[in-house]
C-alpha cells in the first residue's frame, strides 16, 4: 500500500443549475446539492482506496450561500485524512456567475467513507500526504474532527438504543 498525495484524490464536477433542480426560490435544492456532494466525495475516496466504499457519516453540510439558475455549481473534493480503513473527504462547493465570473463559496462538507471488501468488511487504506497550505490545514485539523465524530457516533448509538421501533399508530 503506497501513500498518495492528496492532489491524486482530487475530483471536480461542474454543472449548470437547471430549473428542475431548483426550489421555489429559484435556487438549487439542498437535497440535490447533498446528492452531488456524496457522489463526488465517493469518487475521491475510491480514487484513494481503489476499493468499494461506503459513506459512514456526513458531519454537516453548511449551506453558506444560495446557488441560482444563472450560476454554475462547481464542486471539488479530496481525501484530507485517513485512519485505518476510514477516509475523511472534504468537499468545497462554489457558485460561479458565468457572466461576471464571480465565484462564491456556497457550501462546505466533511464526509467519512470506509473502504470495504466484497463482504462489506472494512479494509485498510494508505495515508495521504498534504502539500499545499490548504491541504496541510485540513490534514492537521482532522484529528479533532475524528474525535468529535467518535463522540457523535456514541451519542447516536445511545439514542438508537433508546428510541422505540413501534409503528407510529401503535
Ligand atoms: C446500473 C448500474 C449501476 C452501477 C453503479 C456503480 C456505482 C459504483 C460507485 C458507487 C459509489 C457509491 C458510494 C456511495 C456509498 C453509499 O451510498 S453507502 C450507503 C450508506 N452507507 C451505509 O449504508 C453504511 C452503513 N454502515 C456500515 O456499513 C458500517 O457501519 C461501517 C461504516 C462499514 C462501519 O462498520 P463498523 O462495524 O463500525 O466497522 P469498524 O471496522 O469498527 O470501523 C471501520 C471504520 O469506520 C469508522 N466509522 C464507523 N462509523 C463511523 C461514523 N459514524 N463516522 C465516522 N467514522 C466511522 C471507524 O472509526 C473505523 O475507522 P478506522 O479506525 O478503520 O479508520
Amino acid at each position: 500500500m503506497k501513500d498518495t498525495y492528496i492532489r491524486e484524490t482530487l475530483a471536480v464536477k461542474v454543472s449548470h443549475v437547471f430549473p428542475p433542480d431548483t426550489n421555489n426560490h429559484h435556487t438549487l435544492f439542498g437535497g440535490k446539492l447533498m446528492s452531488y456532494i456524496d457522489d463526488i466525495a465517493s469518487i475521491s475516496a475510491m480514487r484513494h482506496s481503489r476499493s468499494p466504499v461506503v459513506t459512514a457519516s456526513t458531519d454537516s453540510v453548511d449551506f453558506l450561500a444560495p446557488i441560482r439558475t444563472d450560476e454554475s455549481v462547481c464542486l471539488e473534493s479530496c481525501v484530507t485524512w485517513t485512519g485505518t480503513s476510514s477516509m475523511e473527504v472534504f468537499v468545497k462547493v462554489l457558485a460561479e456567475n458565468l457572466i461576471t465570473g464571480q465565484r462564491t463559496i456556497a457550501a462546505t462538507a466533511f464526509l467519512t467513507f470506509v473502504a470495504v471488501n466484497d463482504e462489506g468488511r472494512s479494509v485498510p487504506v494508505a495515508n495521504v500526504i498534504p502539500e499545499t497550505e490548504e491541504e496541510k490545514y485540513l490534514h492537521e485539523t482532522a484529528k479533532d474532527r475524528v474525535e468529535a465524530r467518535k463522540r457523535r457516533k456514541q451519542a447516536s448509538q445511545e439514542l438508537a438504543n433508546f428510541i422505540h421501533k413501534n409503528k407510529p399508530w401503535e
Side-chain angles (χ1 to χ4, degrees):
M1 222 170 8
K2 191 171 155 285
D3 294 354
T4 50
Y5 290 105
I6 286 180
R7 68 179 140 80
E8 295 175 79
T9 72
L10 183 67
V12 178
K13 173 185 175 73
V14 184
S15 181
H16 280 289
V17 177
F18 290 116
D21 297 331
T22 59
N23 52 36
N24 53 317
H25 306 289
H26 307 291
T27 62
L28 185 65
F29 265 122
K32 185 74 189 176
L33 184 58
M34 285 159 77
S35 147
Y36 285 160
I37 288 172
D38 193 35
D39 183 26
I40 193 169
S42 71
I43 290 172
S44 284
M46 292 182 79
R47 276 193 173 154
H48 179 61
S49 62
R50 297 295 173 200
S51 74
V53 297
V54 292
T55 317
S57 68
T58 304
D59 290 5
S60 59
V61 179
D62 297 307
F63 298 103
L64 303 171
I67 307 174
R68 301 189 172 81
T69 40
D70 57 357
E71 294 175 312
S72 66
V73 53
C74 318
L75 295 97
E76 294 169 29
S77 73
C78 60
V79 175
T80 46
W81 182 89
T82 58
T84 305
S85 64
S86 64
M87 294 162 276
E88 180 190 77
V89 178
F90 177 62
V91 183
K92 191 198 294 189
V93 182
L94 292 104
E96 180 177 318
N97 184 310
L98 292 169
I99 306 301
T100 64
Q102 186 182 336
R103 282 160 70 83
T104 310
I105 300 280
T108 58
F110 285 100
L111 300 89
T112 304
F113 287 83
V114 175
V116 292
N117 60 17
D118 291 341
E119 285 83 50
R121 295 239 168 75
S122 56
V123 293
V125 294
N127 297 321
V128 285
I129 308 163
E131 294 173 290
T132 66
E133 285 258 314
E134 190 172 295
E135 289 170 2
K136 282 179 189 160
Y137 173 79
L138 292 166
H139 188 68
E140 280 158 21
T141 52
K143 287 257 156 62
D144 289 345
R145 291 188 295 273
V146 170
E147 287 311 312
R149 257 167 233 140
K150 283 191 181 142
R151 288 195 296 274
R152 196 186 58 209
K153 186 181 176 186
Q154 173 82 23
S156 294
Q157 195 56 62
E158 282 165 19
L159 180 64
N161 294 342
F162 172 72
I163 54 180
H164 70 75
K165 296 178 201 153
N166 302 340
K167 292 179 179 133
W169 54 89
E170 284 176 342

